């Protein structure tokens, strides 16, 4: 596959056998919409006492999931707060009492969890608030229900974690390999898949060997581990599916049109499923294990706090709803003002306007980068170097698409197969003229879709 050997900037000292737990925070704000299309309605009132894992909001419709308190304390308010991916969003604010108490039953092994069947698992996923642990945050009960009318042959657990700096998933694989494999088996049953393939890139050999040893111990012949070359964007779901299927995928208009991260994610999962695949990351498998085996709803996640501006970069378990300011404080704070704060990785993550936003389920990392690591030079004219063509994993000609887009020739951009772009960011990253490739490609695709819908 064409791509880039990125400087991973993955700090090996962060990939440890344990992930640190935060002291109980003073305050969390849990967003009622996590990914955009979902919505939960508060079922607690001002001054109610809550414990971690207790339901604090009920799903507003069949798509949505309940939300759970991530700390013990008192409910202070339902207000409007900064959201990392959406416009400002309503959230339930809880002031922590520092006791770290959990709701009854949370963390207790569920008797007979091994024999739960497909019909029983989807409602349990929903009760636990499980979603895909990426920016899309698609509820797992929705994916499980949709898979009833499809034939999913392989559940793919994507542990490639391709973005620079981000190591929370690798740390999870090192510290909880058995739980990830057992969680994957729970997901395999829920989706009716025949087998599981865990995929990692070659920089994660130790984690791959660890997973293999757990599979050998369990004697599960239907689970295998594949190690792929370290070429970005290999670890993104679309190129990964194309590698496994050995052919290109046709991306749907719904995915290009945008909408909420959940709308886009759902469209992609439907494409994968039509090819017999379901693709989830390791954090999703781990969360399924926690929910089904230990009756622990999704109220915290592993997060990398990194970037050159962070005093002590680390991976940690962070309660959902923690403000970004408090997440950085847990890593001893910022030693200098960051030029960019990013929720996620530098290639595909979302730039943040400040530190007020709250942690939601789909954020694997929070980065604070200085100007030299995130330069923002002025764009200049194309020098026709061809580098963007060399690194495009979809064999496109980004230069021709963007030149056409710049001139308003959207049909011409379409004739260069702009709609096959998977938004990996490679052309933007490599362009020596620092042209806004991603924005120009987006514009070309949207304008073409709009003109088609007007016909
Ligand atoms: S054109 Fe699209 S797929 Fe190709 S490198 Fe650019 S962003 Fe990636
Ligand atoms: S990498 Fe940039 S400068 Fe080079 S051909 Fe592509 S658009 Fe032009």
């Amino acid at each position: 596959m064409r791509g880039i050997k990125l400087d991973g900037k993955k700090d090996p000292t962060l990939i440890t056998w344990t992930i640190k737990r935060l002291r109980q925070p003073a305050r969390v704000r849990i967003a009622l919409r996590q990914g955009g299309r979902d919505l939960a309605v508060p079922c607690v009132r001002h001054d109610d006492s809550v414990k971690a894992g207790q339901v604090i909001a009920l799903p507003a419709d069949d798509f949505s999931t309940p939300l759970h308190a991530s700390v013990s304390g008192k409910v202070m308010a339902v207000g409007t707060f900064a959201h990392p991916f959406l416009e400002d969003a309503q959230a339930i604010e809880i002031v922590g009492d520092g006791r770290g108490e959990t709701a009854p039953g949370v963390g207790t092994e569920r008797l007979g969890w091994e024999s739960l069947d497909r019909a029983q698992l989807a409602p349990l996923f929903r009760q636990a608030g499980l979603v895909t642990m990426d920016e899309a945050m698609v509820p797992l009960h929705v994916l499980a229900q949709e898979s009833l009318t499809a034939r999913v042959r392989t559940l793919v657990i994507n542990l490639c974690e391709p973005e620079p700096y981000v190591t929370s998933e690798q740390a999870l694989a090192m510290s909880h390999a058995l739980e990830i494999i057992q969680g994957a088996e729970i997901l395999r049953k829920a989706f009716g898949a025949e087998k599981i393939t865990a995929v990692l890139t070659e920089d994660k050999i130790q984690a791959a060997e660890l997973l293999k040893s757990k599979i050998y111990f369990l004697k599960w012949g239907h689970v295998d581990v594949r190690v792929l070359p370290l070429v970005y964007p290999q670890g993104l779901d679309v190129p990964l599916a194309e590698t496994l299927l050995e052919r290109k995928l046709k991306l749907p208009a719904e995915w290009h049109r945008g909408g909420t991260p959940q709308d886009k994610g759902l469209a992609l999962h439907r494409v994968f499923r039509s090819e017999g695949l379901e693709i989830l990351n390791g954090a999703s498998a781990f969360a399924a294990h926690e929910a089904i085996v230990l009756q622990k709803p999704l109220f915290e996640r592993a997060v990398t706090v990194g970037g050159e501006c962070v005093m002590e970069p680390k991976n940690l378990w962070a309660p959902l709803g923690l403000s970004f300011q408090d997440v950085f404080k847990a890593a001893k704070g910022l030693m200098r003002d960051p030029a960019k704060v990013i929720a996620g990785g530098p290639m595909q993550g979302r730039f943040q306007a400040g530190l007020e936003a709250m942690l939601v389920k789909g954020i694997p990392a929070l980065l604070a980068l200085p100007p030299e690591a995130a330069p923002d030079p002025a764009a200049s004219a194309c020098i026709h170097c061809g580098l963007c063509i060399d690194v495009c994993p979809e064999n496109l000609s980004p230069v021709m698409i963007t030149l056409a887009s710049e001139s308003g020739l959207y049909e011409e951009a379409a004739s260069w197969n702009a709609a096959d772009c998977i938004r990996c960011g490679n052309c933007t990253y490599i362009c020596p003229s620092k042209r806004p490739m991603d924005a120009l490609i987006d514009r070309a695709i949207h304008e073409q879709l709009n003109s088609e819908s007007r016909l």
Side-chain angles (χ1 to χ4, degrees):
M1 193 194 70
R2 285 188 189 178
I4 299 179
K5 281 209 178 289
L6 287 174
D7 175 3
K9 300 196 174 185
K10 292 179 188 279
D11 182 346
T13 65
L14 267 54
I15 305 158
T16 52
W17 298 98
T18 54
I19 298 177
K20 284 208 165 116
R21 219 159 259 289
L22 276 180
R23 271 199 309 203
Q24 287 291 301
R27 185 179 305 267
V28 293
R29 290 162 180 166
I30 298 173
L32 296 177
R33 281 189 199 277
Q34 294 277 307
R37 183 168 164 185
D38 58 337
L39 177 65
V41 180
C43 58
V44 287
R45 280 188 257 170
H46 172 72
D47 225 27
D48 279 358
S49 293
V50 292
K51 294 183 177 172
Q54 179 181 332
V55 174
I56 54 170
L58 296 169
D61 52 30
D62 290 347
F63 183 87
S64 305
T65 66
L67 293 170
H68 304 81
S70 58
V71 296
S72 61
K74 276 200 186 285
V75 175
M76 289 312 290
V78 177
T80 303
F81 302 103
H83 189 290
F85 303 144
L86 309 172
E87 297 293 313
D88 292 347
Q90 293 267 294
I92 299 175
E93 185 174 56
I94 302 172
V95 170
D97 58 15
R99 294 197 197 120
E101 292 175 320
T102 50
V106 170
T108 313
E109 183 161 344
R110 186 191 305 270
L111 293 176
W113 64 269
E114 295 99 329
S115 51
L116 290 170
D117 63 21
R118 202 172 176 183
Q120 293 166 309
L121 286 169
L124 292 175
F125 288 173
R126 188 176 194 206
Q127 275 175 29
L130 296 191
V131 299
T132 60
M133 300 289 275
D134 51 20
E135 186 184 320
M137 293 178 269
V138 180
L140 291 191
H141 73 275
V142 173
L143 295 182
Q145 277 160 1
E146 288 192 355
S147 72
L148 290 172
T149 54
R151 181 159 174 246
V152 178
R153 285 187 303 280
T154 308
L155 170 71
V156 179
I157 299 297
N158 181 358
L159 287 146
C160 293
E161 200 170 50
E163 289 262 12
Y165 295 95
V166 186
T167 54
S168 57
E169 188 127 319
Q170 198 177 347
L172 199 56
M174 295 300 289
S175 56
H176 294 90
L178 183 60
E179 289 85 349
I180 287 178
I181 293 295
Q182 287 179 329
E185 175 65 1
I186 290 166
L187 294 169
R188 183 194 67 77
K189 277 196 204 172
F191 294 121
E194 292 153 24
K195 57 184 185 125
I196 300 169
T197 298
V199 187
L200 302 90
T201 40
E202 59 196 350
D203 56 326
K204 303 177 183 74
I205 291 296
Q206 207 181 356
E209 292 304 321
L210 196 54
L211 291 170
K212 282 184 195 167
S213 73
K214 302 297 177 193
I215 295 163
Y216 178 78
F217 165 75
L218 290 165
K219 298 187 172 53
W220 284 352
H222 60 287
V223 189
D224 70 339
V225 176
R226 277 190 69 173
V227 177
L228 298 178
L230 182 61
V231 180
Y232 184 86
Q234 179 59 84
L236 302 185
D237 285 348
V238 174
L240 175 57
E242 290 178 340
T243 298
L244 296 176
L245 294 166
E246 297 180 4
R247 70 187 130 85
K248 294 280 169 214
L249 289 176
K250 188 89 199 129
L251 298 176
E254 295 90 330
W255 186 73
H256 287 301
R257 259 195 199 102
T260 68
Q262 281 173 334
D263 290 325
K264 294 182 66 159
L266 201 53
L268 267 193
H269 279 280
R270 287 177 180 154
V271 173
F272 298 150
R273 209 176 302 124
S274 70
E275 301 287 344
L277 302 178
E278 188 60 77
I279 304 181
L280 296 169
N281 59 16
S284 306
F286 179 78
H289 179 275
E290 293 269 278
I292 300 303
V293 180
L294 297 177
Q295 305 188 72
K296 188 172 167 191
L298 179 51
F299 60 80
E300 63 179 6
R301 69 156 299 148
V303 181
T304 300
V305 193
E308 288 82 352
C309 295
V310 174
M311 188 70 86
E312 251 182 39
K314 53 179 57 147
N315 284 309
L316 47 83
W317 288 111
L320 298 176
L322 199 62
S323 75
F324 288 177
Q325 188 142 29
D326 287 343
V327 176
F328 285 124
K329 262 190 206 156
K332 300 262 166 73
L334 298 173
M335 58 179 134
R336 52 197 281 213
D337 284 342
K340 281 184 182 164
V341 173
I342 307 174
M347 299 296 282
Q348 290 215 311
R350 294 280 194 112
F351 296 123
Q352 301 294 309
L355 300 179
E356 297 308 313
M358 59 200 114
L359 188 71
V360 294
K361 297 175 182 180
I363 296 181
L366 203 54
L367 308 179
L369 305 182
E372 61 274 20
D376 220 353
S380 53
C382 172
I383 55 168
H384 300 281
C385 64
L387 286 175
C388 55
I389 300 173
D390 293 344
V391 298
C392 177
E394 298 299 305
N395 297 333
L396 302 176
S397 178
V399 53
M400 298 312 289
I401 296 170
T402 52
L403 288 173
S405 175
E406 236 168 5
S407 307
L409 303 172
Y410 304 121
E411 259 183 53
E412 186 179 326
S415 74
W416 287 99
N417 299 322
D420 289 345
C421 169
I422 61 168
R423 317 291 211 279
C424 70
N426 272 4
C427 51
T428 306
Y429 175 86
I430 205 77
C431 178
S433 299
K434 296 297 164 202
R435 286 161 46 76
M437 308 292 280
D438 40 7
L440 289 168
I441 294 169
D442 263 357
R443 193 204 299 167
I445 295 173
H446 284 134
E447 291 295 333
Q448 185 63 14
L449 283 172
N450 288 344
S451 74
E452 282 169 7
S453 61
R454 280 196 293 270
L455 290 177

